[in-house]
Amino acid sequence: MAAERRLKIALVGKPNSGKSSLFNQLTGLNQKIGNFPGITVDKRMGFCQLDDHTSAEIIDLPGIYSLYPRTLDEKIVVEILTNKNDENFPDRIAVIADATNLKNCLLLLTQLIDLGLPVVLALNMMDLAAKSGLSLDVKKLSKQLDIPVVMINARQGFGLDELKKQLLSEAIPSQRKIFQPLAEINDALNEIQKHFNLSTSYEAFQYIQQPQNLVFLSKENREFIKTIETQKNFFPHKYQGAETIHRYGFIQEVLDSVIIKSAGHEWKGFSNKLDKILTHKIWGYLIFFSLLFLIFQSVFALAQIPMDAIDRGFADLSSFLTKHLPEGPLFELISSGIVPGIGGIVIFIPQIAILFAFISILEETGYMSRVVFLMDKIMRKFGMSGRSVVPLMSGLACAIPAIMATRTIDNWKDRLITIFVTPLMSCSARLPVFAILVALIVPEERVFGIISLQGIALMGLYLLGFVGVLFTALLMKIMIKVNERSYLIMEMPTYRMPKWSNVGYTIVEKTKAFVFEAGKIIIAVSIILWVLASYGPKEVMDNARATVQAESQNLRLTEEGYENRVAAYKLEHSYAGIMGKWMEPVIRPLGFDWKIGIALITSFAAREVFVSTIATIYSLGSTDDHLTIKERLKEEINPETGGKRFTPAVGFSLLVFYTFAMQCMSTLAIVKRETKGWKWPLIQLFYMTGLAYVSALVVYQILS
């Protein structure tokens, strides 16, 4: 049997040309997300069978308009397509072009032809082109460009067989030479072409035009190019402008010769009418914020039942394993460490799936482009972009899917700032902490008989988090210096019904990325925290029951009360407890004691753990009874002052601390994954902890 041939095929094209739909059609669920070596750009790969003897690795490259990149994503595309030694250099290239906007899609194609690369032009959205009245002579277009041209509808799968057939055929580059550099720079190009053994003069033109963007060039090679530039008086911008004008002139000539009937304007009538409302300076914002409110409510409401079911399921599983597994550290680790750790990952899946379903629907319909346009001007004042709005609002539900949603932001600086500030939005995990502390220190009174003081306090905490977002974003805008300029260039696609299979692929892809990437780190940290909170010096832990029994001999404790005291004693003398006492001098200026210090440590697994830790350490019994917790916390006495432990000063100090503190290892894990390293999550952790500490210190010192 003959060995199977494996081809590497790259999908390239401008944003919104339908690349992702084609990628999904070709690969189905047989796809994965990786990253290009050494950089922070996702690499979408998938596999498909072209015929019985040939399979293909499909690489969905980031959207790009031309070989002159503006963003990190675009630089990767240029790197791959101009470096034949790159491991991702393709055997074939499929250029996906929006048939309704052909002129803007052909600039990149003409550059790839001049590089001598084997390309196939896939004219996508032919259904819309037909609707617009556009009629093309496709055979003539193929002849003019000297490349295969196929008509496809990537959303419906139309034309894929013909596309596969063309990709299977022998890779013969076009013999057409579209752009000829001016004769005055031929000497420089010849020297570079000869030095680097390049096959076309246009490759040499790219080398001398933008050596700074071709990272694969060594320092010596760049110095060589710089020397040639100086010797030959080469000015890149002069020739780049001339190239662009020449190419668009050629494209117009080709289109004039192949267009049988031009597109009318009536087919966009519905989209234009809708745009007058959805991008209106007043109605546009009202509709957008109403949609966000709906999404936010849905993420909470729809996810609650499956999240509760998952929570209950893992709790029952943990309880079952505790009862039925043999005693011993290994089995205790499984039942009390690993299983709850996995539960802490799985429980986020409903929120992630629902949020990305909404985001995908907004993108599929074309509305997301309008949101970006609408919000860009406002967000840019704070160092972000219009694409930052959805992740920030999503952060009110959970920072994890919100940070993953920042992938829609093209510009790296805008995206980094959004990732950095999103955890400052008050997520749902902070709500249990807010609820118990607000109920503890704010009177249950109403203003004008209807407005709850506790409700005002709660709303104030959410607003405080948003102020933190704007302040931090402004700070980062000033501090982060990058050469990459941020500006918005985008085309408004026509409104369309969502392709539900694409929505499904998005949900699966995002969920897999979270579970398999961030999940590994979350489990590891969960196990470490479990060990710290479960173990301490052997002699002290072994004598815990005897010590508690001796201390409680004059008390009439129930069995449950006795067990709670033992648990509290062990926690106090565990390594986590020792750390709590060790950090007490640091947190004392905030009004916190070592018991609160333990809660700060354990709640690093998840903020809501604060309540259960406080419940355990004060021997409060069931953590489900918030009223009991509140009453017991009210009774807690500060041994130094003889007064209440949870005074308004301590309570507000804690509230402000939890408003700004990171306190979420899951968020750190996902930031690490999204930024491809530990640098930014560590900076984020120290910044947010510092902000929380200073803010809590100020609040406590003023109120005490």
Side-chain angles (χ1 to χ4, degrees):
M1 182 181 290
E4 186 175 74
R5 185 170 61 141
R6 169 69 69 88
L7 295 177
K8 191 169 286 182
I9 296 171
L11 305 183
V12 301
K14 71 180 185 62
N16 293 322
S17 62
K19 273 190 315 95
S20 295
S21 293
L22 177 60
F23 178 75
N24 289 334
Q25 287 283 0
L26 289 173
T27 62
L29 285 172
N30 194 17
Q31 51 184 259
K32 62 180 181 180
I33 304 294
N35 63 281
F36 296 104
I39 44 97
T40 56
V41 177
D42 274 342
K43 173 184 171 185
R44 295 185 77 208
M45 298 170 295
F47 300 91
C48 88
Q49 200 70 31
L50 295 179
D51 67 9
D52 292 341
H53 309 291
T54 312
S55 62
E57 179 185 346
I58 310 291
I59 304 175
D60 183 15
L61 293 175
I64 186 171
Y65 291 88
S66 78
L67 286 180
Y68 298 108
R70 296 177 297 108
T71 66
L72 280 174
D73 289 23
E74 293 177 353
K75 284 180 183 175
I76 296 309
V77 182
V78 176
E79 277 267 322
I80 292 172
L81 298 181
T82 55
N83 180 15
K84 290 176 181 171
N85 295 319
D86 191 293
E87 62 175 313
N88 294 300
F89 186 79
D91 303 304
R92 311 276 194 283
I93 298 172
V95 177
I96 320 302
D98 176 358
T100 66
N101 191 12
L102 207 47
K103 186 175 181 179
N104 288 343
C105 297
L106 296 186
L107 178 64
L108 174 65
L109 174 74
T110 62
Q111 291 176 317
L112 298 181
I113 288 174
D114 280 340
L115 280 179
L117 301 176
V119 295
V120 174
L121 175 60
L123 297 177
N124 192 24
M125 304 185 196
M126 289 305 297
D127 56 330
L128 292 179
K131 187 179 177 183
S132 72
L134 178 68
S135 181
L136 285 172
D137 186 338
V138 176
K139 288 185 178 176
K140 193 172 182 180
L141 179 61
S142 173
K143 190 175 179 182
Q144 292 265 19
L145 298 172
D146 191 29
I147 58 170
V149 179
V150 295
M151 295 183 290
I152 65 168
N153 181 337
R155 287 164 62 91
Q156 303 301 326
F158 169 76
L160 296 194
D161 290 340
E162 179 61 23
L163 178 61
K164 288 180 180 178
K165 181 181 169 186
Q166 294 297 337
L167 292 171
L168 273 168
S169 61
E170 187 181 356
I172 303 175
S174 170
Q175 298 303 303
R176 190 77 192 244
K177 299 300 176 192
I178 297 166
F179 171 66
Q180 293 291 346
L182 295 177
E184 64 193 48
I185 60 171
N186 277 346
D187 288 345
L189 297 183
N190 288 337
E191 285 194 43
I192 291 174
Q193 189 173 353
K194 185 178 177 183
H195 181 82
F196 292 100
N197 193 26
L198 303 175
S199 55
T200 68
S201 62
Y202 189 63
E203 288 178 87
F205 185 73
Q206 283 293 319
Y207 274 46
I208 197 170
Q209 276 281 85
Q210 49 178 348
Q212 73 283 358
N213 288 328
L214 307 181
V215 181
F216 59 86
L217 293 174
S218 66
K219 185 181 176 183
E220 292 74 22
N221 287 333
R222 289 183 192 180
E223 286 177 355
F224 173 78
I225 294 171
K226 188 71 179 173
T227 304
I228 297 291
E229 275 186 41
T230 306
Q231 289 175 351
K232 307 296 181 183
N233 295 319
F234 184 85
F235 299 101
H237 296 297
K238 171 185 173 184
Y239 300 103
Q240 182 181 336
E243 178 194 354
T244 304
I245 292 170
H246 179 85
R247 289 189 185 281
Y248 272 117
F250 169 81
I251 292 167
Q252 191 59 56
E253 283 180 19
V254 170
L255 292 180
D256 288 344
S257 67
V258 302
I259 291 178
I260 300 169
K261 183 184 175 187
S262 299
H265 298 289
E266 298 78 14
W267 71 286
K268 282 189 174 180
F270 177 71
S271 283
N272 292 337
K273 286 178 183 174
L274 214 50
D275 273 342
K276 287 183 181 177
I277 302 171
L278 296 180
T279 60
H280 189 271
K281 60 183 179 182
I282 297 173
W283 299 116
Y285 290 105
L286 283 176
I287 293 170
F288 171 57
F289 285 114
S290 299
L291 270 175
L292 278 182
F293 180 77
L294 176 66
I295 293 172
F296 178 47
Q297 290 295 315
S298 299
V299 168
F300 261 119
L302 300 179
Q304 196 58 52
I305 293 176
M307 287 179 77
D308 286 346
I310 292 169
D311 200 17
R312 275 198 305 274
F314 275 90
D316 291 345
L317 177 61
S318 180
S319 176
F320 175 83
L321 293 175
T322 302
K323 290 177 182 175
H324 293 85
L325 285 178
E327 290 187 0
L330 175 63
F331 299 111
E332 197 176 339
L333 172 64
I334 294 171
S335 60
S336 303
I338 295 176
V339 170
I342 295 173
I345 301 164
V346 177
I347 197 170
F348 287 111
I349 289 178
Q351 280 190 334
I352 291 172
I354 292 169
L355 178 65
F356 279 102
F358 276 108
I359 291 175
S360 179
I361 290 170
L362 293 182
E363 288 177 342
E364 282 280 313
T365 55
Y367 179 69
M368 192 63 86
S369 301
R370 275 75 183 180
V371 172
V372 172
F373 165 76
L374 201 64
M375 296 300 297
D376 188 70
K377 191 174 180 181
I378 296 174
M379 300 305 291
R380 214 158 276 286
K381 293 176 181 174
F382 296 97
M384 294 179 278
S385 75
R387 296 181 191 274
S388 306
V389 175
V390 173
L392 287 179
M393 297 306 292
S394 305
L396 291 171
C398 178
I400 293 165
I403 287 170
M404 292 167 69
T406 61
R407 293 179 181 190
T408 58
I409 303 172
D410 293 333
N411 181 274
W412 174 239
K413 180 181 175 184
D414 295 351
R415 186 180 176 217
L416 180 62
I417 293 177
T418 309
I419 288 174
F420 199 91
V421 302
T422 294
L424 287 166
M425 298 292 284
S426 292
C427 66
S428 57
R430 285 182 171 105
L431 192 56
V433 183
F434 289 171
I436 190 70
L437 291 173
V438 166
L440 190 66
I441 59 175
V442 178
E444 197 173 348
E445 296 176 3
R446 295 183 181 275
V447 180
F448 306 121
I450 52 173
I451 303 174
S452 165
L453 275 180
Q454 293 182 347
I456 292 174
L458 193 60
M459 188 177 72
L461 291 168
Y462 278 83
L463 289 176
L464 185 63
F466 187 64
V467 170
V469 166
L470 298 181
F471 169 76
T472 306
L474 264 178
L475 201 62
M476 290 189 72
K477 179 187 176 184
I478 295 168
M479 295 182 68
I480 296 179
K481 305 292 182 187
V482 293
N483 294 325
E484 188 179 338
R485 290 189 62 187
S486 172
Y487 47 88
L488 184 68
I489 297 177
M490 61 182 302
E491 295 170 15
M492 297 290 185
T494 54
Y495 292 102
R496 306 187 71 176
M497 285 295 291
K499 174 77 173 170
W500 296 110
S501 60
N502 286 345
V503 175
Y505 287 133
T506 301
I507 294 171
V508 171
E509 177 193 308
K510 304 298 183 187
T511 305
K512 276 171 61 180
F514 168 70
V515 171
F516 293 108
E517 296 296 329
K520 291 181 287 190
I521 302 169
I522 293 171
I523 287 183
V525 181
S526 292
I527 292 172
I528 293 170
L529 283 174
W530 174 84
V531 171
L532 289 175
S534 302
Y535 290 91
K538 188 173 184 306
E539 187 177 351
V540 177
M541 300 302 272
D542 288 346
N543 296 327
R545 289 186 173 277
T547 305
V548 171
Q549 197 163 16
E551 291 176 350
S552 309
Q553 56 184 343
N554 295 326
L555 302 175
R556 294 181 178 178
L557 292 176
T558 62
E559 185 177 348
E560 184 182 7
Y562 171 73
E563 291 298 331
N564 280 337
R565 280 187 168 261
V566 172
Y569 180 88
K570 285 187 174 180
L571 184 61
E572 178 184 346
H573 294 85
S574 68
Y575 293 118
I578 293 170
M579 290 169 69
K581 289 192 174 183
W582 174 76
M583 67 188 289
E584 191 175 40
V586 179
I587 59 177
R588 186 178 290 276
L590 312 184
F592 307 161
D593 62 2
W594 68 269
K595 294 179 180 178
I596 296 176
I598 293 177
L600 294 181
I601 293 173
T602 56
S603 65
F604 187 69
R607 296 179 182 96
E608 57 269 41
V609 174
F610 172 85
V611 176
S612 59
T613 303
I614 286 290
T616 302
I617 204 164
Y618 287 115
S619 302
L620 297 176
S622 171
T623 59
D624 291 329
D625 189 348
H626 281 205
L627 182 62
T628 303
I629 293 172
K630 188 173 72 173
E631 289 177 348
R632 293 295 182 90
L633 291 180
K634 278 185 176 177
E635 292 173 0
E636 183 68 15
I637 300 297
N638 184 338
E640 295 180 2
T641 64
K644 292 182 177 179
R645 159 56 64 195
F646 288 93
T647 61
V650 173
F652 279 115
S653 176
L654 257 177
L655 283 170
V656 170
F657 185 88
Y658 270 94
T659 299
F660 293 135
M662 170 58 82
Q663 293 298 100
C664 181
M665 67 174 187
S666 307
T667 301
L668 283 175
I670 205 69
V671 171
K672 186 261 177 185
R673 187 196 179 280
E674 295 300 308
T675 58
K676 306 290 191 288
W678 281 108
K679 174 186 171 184
W680 286 107
L682 288 176
I683 293 174
Q684 196 176 32
L685 173 64
F686 286 115
Y687 170 78
M688 290 181 66
T689 305
L691 180 65
Y693 186 90
V694 172
S695 303
L697 177 66
V698 170
V699 168
Y700 180 73
Q701 295 300 327
I702 290 174
L703 296 181
S704 61

